[in-house]
Amino acid sequence: MSSKHLYLVDGSGYIFRAYHRLPPLTNRHGTPAGAVFGFTTMLWKLINELHQSDGPTHLAVILDASSKTFRNEMYDQYKAHRPPPPEDLVPQFPLIRDAVRAFSVPCIEELGLEADDIIACYSEAALAAGWQVTIVSSDKDLMQLIRPGLDLLDTMNNRRLGREHVLEKFGVEPEALGDVLALMGDSVDNVPGVPGVGPKTASELIRTYGNLETVLASTDQIKKPKLKQSLIDHADNARLSRELVRLKCDSPLPEPLDGLELKGLPPEPLRAFLEDMGFKSLLSKIQGDGPATLPGGGPTMLALAPGAEEKPAPVVEQVPFNHKDYETVVDEAALDRWIAEGFACGRIAVDTETDSKDPVRARLVGVSLATAPGKACYIPLAHVGDGLLSETPTQIPMAVAIAKLKPLLEAPDILKIGQNIKYDMVVFERNGGIRVAPYDDTMLLSYDLDAGLGGHGMDELAKRHLDHACIEFKTVCGTGKSQISFDKVTLDVATEYAAEDADVTLRLWQRLKGRLASEAATRVYELVDRPLVPVLADMEMAGIKVDREELARLSAEFAGEAARLEALIHAEAGGPFTVGSPKQLGDILFDKMGLKGGRKGKTGVYSTDVTEMERLAGEGVAIARLVLDWRQITKLKSTYTDSLQGEINPATGRVHTCFSMAVAQTGRLSSTDPNLQNIPIRTEHGRRIRDAFVAEPGKVILSADYSQIELRLAAHMADVPALKDAFARGDDIHALTAQEVFGEVTRDTRARAKTINFSILYGISAFGLSGRLEVSRAEAQDMINRYFARFPGINHYIAATLDQVRSTGFTTTLFGRKTHLPWIKSAKQGERQSAERQAINAPIQGTSADIIKRAMVRMNPALAAAGLGDVRMLLQVHDELVFELDPGQVDAASEVIRSVMAGAAEPIVELSVPLGVEIGTGPSWGAAH
DNA sequence: TGGTTCACG
DNA sequence: GACGTACGTGAACCAG
């Protein structure tokens, strides 16, 4: 007798039952997780029963891959009236897939088949092989499969359902159940059945006449006139229903039976998942060394055989890239086919092609879609001929395509997958009013999994994960002066390039998504980075108004000032030269004028940077001060007052930056085209540029910034009582440091203390500090020693952080964001030390980034809830958020903004220091500070 | 294209 | 005893 026992979990059915049975639990992130919890508990319990009599030796979770199946071809009304899943259940579906992966259990879904059919196929195969089968479900359709060797397990009521159960409930043998179900119909699935026939009648009819066909053939014997007529009138419906409830058991198995073997339970992915979800009660079961149990469960299989912790390689289809297989979609029927395919698959990769890298200017040129590896298309929409050789090709009209794509891109049950999907969101919103949702972003998946291990652009990811070299943009559009916009690319070339992007995106998603849970990145992805995408898209589209005339006035003024300074510099130098050339300046200063100074760097040029020039200026060298002033003025002019005028979008009259989400190694955003995160403020000249960032007429600018957030986080993370108490009291933290390190608080010691505090955040060295404070190394070392003595905890934080990065290769923020630092093991001292300093800084800078991102994600809903829906968030500058609003909204908005920002860490992280938020308002950004 | 400098947090 | 020396960005400019 075979001892093999296959358990098939009806995942979809279970999810719904768990959802309705359990109270609306939320996990530690405030995300609904009741169904996930029920599911996780059930799966755990099942796995625990491995090696018990009647316990599973093989296990798989079966899910519905799509809402459309072969039954829809039989009957287009099948499941047509089924309401969409409840709103708080939808986000739990992906988490349940994560749970299955965390258990290292196969998760099987197949296009065009319902979970029930897949279960039937596996049951058939397993029984044929002499195995026992248990289906974890209490679905009546699945009860058709009951026979010797196969039963159902109803985990909700903890009972096994066999032949007796079917007899009791339906009055017939399981083999006849399909006929009963066909007569009954099913209002939920919209199986028609025969009107007026319920379970009782159906059962009696089958018992009396044997099967459906004999019932339909024997209507003349039926006494009740209404029933008789109904059976006659709806015989066809009954036959259709019979086919609809029949389970398809002859499809090939997506995974061979042996692939479902249940091995132990690798604890790490599971631990990561449970921690991530905050399932403390379950987590406590796997902590400690003793055999863990669940209430009512047996011992877990956490004690693994040696080597068993090796994670099996994820099963990902390896389909070769064949660009000729991509389809160019130029007629509506083909588009309809692709859209239907997207609905059937449940998820689809999407990419847009446009005529500009700037999404706020870009016009949509085409859309590419991918539904499976190698299966992708390009839908050209605005391609034109080149005016010489080619003519404008026939394409689907833009409005028609948009109208057809919109339902797919906005369908709440269809996942849209993009690479840097923020770009596509902005393009779709502006070119068709489409709000893409729900979505995944492969760039962000990579960023949250692999920050520090390389870039996250598609070409690089394709190389790294798929060993595939993408067609480069420049080979399609050229480069430099001869570059053409994408709408001039011929359709065949455009299709190969664009469809490949969607294809690659889908394949990357398959590789990356499954790693989230097992590598503990779900939290930061789902609760921080992914939800931030539409928030940033809105900010980019909103832009900020700048006063062009004011910038022009400043440019003219700075030009005059620069010319004046340049003349003075040339006079001092004894002749004209290019002041902006560090090489020429160095030669003038240190060779021609004979000033003291040293060579620096490999290139052999003299250093003329700000510290060197300040040193000379301090020694009374007149030209040094003039050069510094000249540099500041020309910098401000070229980078800001000149360039910014050209960045004003003619259509909106505003400046629209682009926020990059996957550049900074620590989790911070960055800003480009133009960079609005480095607008001057520190000098008087610079501040005037910030004054040119103004509110629209009738509005005001509000700026809210975290006060000393990184130092507060350091106090919390390093657990420094003196610092935490000072922050709790609202003391001047630099004065406190001055008191502790120098014994007195003066203007000078406070300034030095401030420098020391920053040094700590950056990974201090005595040499570096000595340079900045202009004291000897010994004195600097002395200050550091006193700092560590007065603030115990800092030392320990540094040591513990370095320990962690050396053993795991990455640091983590309080929210679990990773920064990988592979150089930590470098043989070169310099590289290694650099990585060590990064390791000390990354958790602090990264936690700060996580917190403000969470504030941003929560901001618009909070404002809307307070009736402040038209307050617009415009910019983020690392610890500052900038808004534009009506003057009358300032007081109410300030309170909402303050409370969202101050509470942004909660409830995931409870900080032992308060987060201070300072708010200012005014007609301009400069005035709001 | 790489190096240098400097604007911001 | 020598080594190299503060974290994270982006943009403009010069020079090869």
Side-chain angles (χ1 to χ4, degrees), chain A residues 745-759:
Chain A
V745 183
T746 66
R747 207 185 167 82
D748 176 63
T749 60
R750 187 181 179 283
R752 286 162 180 262
K754 188 173 176 178
T755 300
I756 297 173
N757 276 329
F758 275 102
S759 314

Side-chain angles (χ1 to χ4, degrees), chain A residues 338-663:
Chain A
W338 278 94
I339 288 171
E341 179 79 13
F343 274 107
C345 289
R347 81 279 181 287
I348 189 164
V350 183
D351 187 38
T352 55
E353 301 302 334
T354 67
D355 59 359
S356 169
K357 278 184 73 181
D358 175 358
V360 185
R361 291 174 194 239
R363 288 184 326 116
L364 186 62
V365 167
V367 175
S368 50
L369 303 173
T371 53
K375 191 167 181 191
C377 71
Y378 179 59
I379 309 153
L381 296 171
H383 282 255
V384 294
D386 60 11
L388 293 167
L389 298 170
S390 56
E391 293 179 359
T392 295
T394 306
Q395 295 154 82
I396 299 171
M398 178 72 76
V400 171
I402 291 291
K404 285 180 182 290
L405 285 166
K406 187 176 163 81
L408 175 71
L409 296 176
E410 295 185 344
D413 56 342
I414 308 298
L415 180 69
K416 272 65 69 175
I417 302 162
Q419 161 74 15
N420 186 20
I421 202 166
K422 171 160 65 66
Y423 180 91
D424 308 282
M425 272 188 193
V426 172
V427 169
F428 275 127
E429 169 83 45
R430 289 182 43 260
N431 289 270
I434 297 173
R435 294 288 290 189
V436 178
Y439 57 90
D440 258 336
D441 188 334
T442 48
M443 180 186 75
L444 293 180
L445 286 170
S446 170
Y447 184 61
D448 290 341
L449 289 165
D450 294 334
L453 296 181
H456 309 282
M458 187 165 66
D459 292 7
E460 198 173 337
L461 295 180
K463 200 97 209 102
R464 196 185 306 157
H465 298 291
L466 308 173
D467 193 28
H468 173 72
C470 291
I471 302 170
E472 289 183 78
F473 183 77
K474 65 177 184 216
T475 65
V476 174
C477 289
T479 173
K481 225 174 133 79
S482 58
Q483 189 174 79
I484 56 170
S485 53
F486 201 82
D487 55 345
K488 301 195 178 56
V489 177
T490 57
L491 295 195
D492 51 345
V493 176
T495 296
E496 292 190 14
Y497 172 85
E500 179 191 60
D501 280 2
D503 187 7
V504 166
T505 300
L506 185 74
R507 295 177 196 234
L508 287 173
W509 179 80
Q510 291 181 326
R511 300 296 177 108
L512 297 174
K513 186 70 193 277
R515 290 175 51 202
L516 276 186
S518 57
E519 298 180 30
T522 311
R523 191 196 309 170
V524 83
Y525 178 72
E526 296 199 344
L527 297 169
V528 182
D529 283 338
R530 186 175 61 180
L532 187 62
V533 173
V535 179
L536 291 177
D538 284 343
M539 290 166 68
E540 292 179 3
M541 285 187 280
I544 184 166
K545 184 173 163 66
V546 299
D547 183 340
R548 186 198 298 270
E549 285 67 38
E550 178 61 16
L551 288 178
R553 274 195 295 280
L554 286 171
S555 275
E557 185 183 328
F558 291 167
E561 180 71 2
R564 186 182 69 82
L565 289 165
E566 190 167 305
L568 291 173
I569 291 164
H570 289 165
E572 286 285 334
F577 69 102
T578 310
V579 184
S581 162
K583 186 173 181 297
Q584 290 187 35
L585 177 64
D587 291 344
I588 297 273
L589 290 173
F590 299 110
D591 291 338
K592 190 173 170 191
M593 296 177 69
L595 292 167
K596 291 174 293 179
R599 281 176 188 280
K600 200 171 122 183
K602 299 164 260 215
T603 51
V605 293
Y606 291 109
S607 170
T608 62
D609 68 10
V610 67
T611 52
E612 191 71 8
M613 300 304 285
E614 290 281 7
R615 179 182 69 78
L616 292 171
E619 290 170 8
V621 179
I623 193 173
R625 174 57 56 197
L626 293 170
V627 167
L628 285 170
D629 289 347
W630 179 89
R631 278 192 183 154
Q632 190 195 37
I633 290 293
T634 53
K635 176 87 170 184
L636 295 179
K637 180 173 183 295
S638 69
T639 309
Y640 302 104
T641 58
D642 288 352
S643 325
L644 225 37
Q645 295 180 58
E647 297 284 356
I648 297 172
N649 185 310
T652 65
R654 294 164 74 99
V655 174
H656 305 263
T657 187
C658 175
F659 289 104
S660 305
M661 301 188 69
V663 172

Side-chain angles (χ1 to χ4, degrees), chain A residues 664-681:
Chain A
Q665 311 296 304
T666 53
R668 273 192 178 180
L669 300 178
S670 81
S671 159
T672 60
D673 309 305
N675 181 356
L676 295 186
Q677 289 184 323
N678 71 344
I679 301 302
I681 192 169

